[in-house]
Amino acid sequence: MSNDTQRADQIAFHFYTKLFYVLNHARATAEPGPNAKVDKWFILETPHSDLFPRESRDRYKSISTSLSASASNSSSSLSSPSSSFSSSTGVPPLEIQVLLTIPDLNTNQVLVYLPDSSSSTSTRNRVQPTPKHVLLEKWVLEFTPRNATHRTRDRDRDGREGAEEASGPAGSSVALSTIYKHGIPLFRSLFSLLRILPAWKVAKRLKRRGLGGGPANGMSVMLRVADPTSAGGPGQQDILGFGPSSSQSDASHYQTQVSQTLTLPTSTHAFPPVPHPLGTLTLTSTYLSNPNFD
């Protein structure tokens, strides 16, 4: 493995870790420890977090190795149709779920959803059965590899200019510095967006109540990394998700029952793709438009 390939892998790896740190800093109601390290990648200081599981982190340490392994496996055997991510890419998408945690309720307590919290006449809809968690946001960082056709077209289009550019791994016209430079506006935009999306007020309110010693209704906000190899991990059935989608990780038996009487509207946002010597990195988000629960 060349030095350029190792550096490209390192930069890509920090896209995944930085995403978790930025999301955790903006959403988790639990404060980072007093001795938490500060991550300074992409010229944005965010508290380091040990909540990103090591086994999940390690999947993205070497994208080039994952792609090579995927190519070798596909040439020797058919991929399993039950896999939850495309084996043709070799790199599973990183899905980070922002969850509203619901405490155990007494017999005289219920969880309600308010479609419009700004209106005093808004209907209070009971959520039953009561889930352990409600999915507020889903963030997905996906790597799409370049195929041979794309590489040929890029070389033909770039011509002499591409040859002169300080490129990354062989066969690519994307400079290593370009990856990093694209990451700076991406995470600045993410930092700003997180503070205007609806879940920002929810997290701030719960954090403020908890720090002030006042009641936060026992609710909190936490992050969860979905397992790309399984449609349902431990406790997955306790999450009220967005309903059926191309990804089964946010579907649960709660959605089937609740959706009969309750609609949770969602919105989406997609960031411009980031070029990488071996493909592109794309960040998308789906979130509740009105995450008002009480």
Side-chain angles (χ1 to χ4, degrees):
M1 181 184 297
S2 69
N3 289 335
D4 281 348
T5 299
Q6 290 179 339
R7 290 173 60 197
D9 281 343
Q10 181 190 32
I11 297 173
F13 173 69
H14 282 283
F15 269 86
Y16 292 96
T17 57
K18 191 67 171 185
L19 174 61
F20 186 91
Y21 298 155
V22 173
L23 292 177
N24 189 67
H25 182 49
R27 292 291 183 263
T29 49
E31 292 287 347
N35 299 321
K37 299 178 181 179
V38 176
D39 183 277
K40 298 182 180 181
W41 272 79
F42 306 108
I43 317 180
L44 179 64
E45 295 189 0
T46 47
H48 187 280
S49 174
D50 293 329
L51 298 178
F52 194 176
R54 182 175 180 179
E55 60 272 18
S56 299
R57 250 189 0 253
D58 288 350
R59 295 190 183 106
Y60 309 103
K61 277 193 171 181
S62 181
I63 285 180
S64 60
T65 301
S66 298
L67 293 175
S68 298
S70 176
S72 299
N73 292 337
S74 62
S75 63
S76 59
S77 62
L78 294 176
S79 62
S80 171
S82 62
S83 175
S84 62
F85 62 90
S86 173
S87 61
S88 63
T89 69
V91 183
L94 172 63
E95 178 179 322
I96 302 175
Q97 301 171 344
V98 178
L99 304 174
L100 177 66
T101 300
I102 310 301
D104 292 333
L105 303 179
N106 298 327
T107 54
N108 62 338
Q109 293 179 312
V110 295
L111 177 67
V112 295
Y113 170 70
L114 290 76
D116 184 4
S117 61
S118 62
S119 173
S120 59
T121 59
S122 179
T123 304
R124 296 173 64 88
N125 299 281
R126 181 175 180 178
V127 181
Q128 191 177 23
T130 305
K132 293 292 185 182
H133 306 279
V134 176
L135 182 61
L136 301 180
E137 297 172 338
K138 180 177 69 174
W139 299 83
V140 179
L141 181 58
E142 190 163 10
F143 180 82
T144 304
R146 292 188 176 194
N147 56 35
T149 301
H150 288 164
R151 287 196 296 270
T152 300
R153 184 170 66 245
D154 288 344
R155 286 196 297 271
D156 292 342
R157 182 185 63 223
D158 294 342
R160 184 170 177 271
E161 179 181 355
E164 291 178 351
E165 184 178 16
S167 64
S172 167
S173 60
V174 179
L176 295 176
S177 60
T178 299
I179 317 172
Y180 191 88
K181 290 177 180 178
H182 276 76
I184 295 173
L186 170 66
F187 286 106
R188 285 180 178 174
S189 298
L190 174 62
F191 182 91
S192 299
L193 179 64
L194 285 168
R195 283 150 180 79
I196 60 176
L197 290 182
W200 169 253
K201 291 184 177 180
V202 176
K204 293 294 288 184
R205 183 178 70 250
L206 295 179
K207 184 181 295 187
R208 185 169 58 248
R209 289 179 180 179
L211 293 176
N217 297 331
M219 294 182 181
S220 62
V221 178
M222 60 172 286
L223 267 61
R224 174 183 182 272
V225 177
D227 184 355
T229 64
S230 173
Q236 182 64 52
Q237 282 69 37
D238 294 335
I239 299 176
L240 172 58
F242 297 152
S245 67
S246 58
S247 171
Q248 298 182 11
S249 60
D250 60 358
S252 72
H253 72 279
Y254 284 104
Q255 185 65 37
T256 303
Q257 299 179 52
V258 174
S259 62
Q260 296 176 1
T261 58
L262 179 64
T263 300
L264 302 179
T266 61
S267 302
T268 59
H269 183 85
F271 292 86
V274 174
H276 183 276
L278 300 177
T280 57
L281 289 155
T282 306
L283 176 62
T284 58
S285 174
T286 305
Y287 56 91
L288 288 184
S289 304
N290 299 296
N292 307 310
F293 296 87
D294 195 8

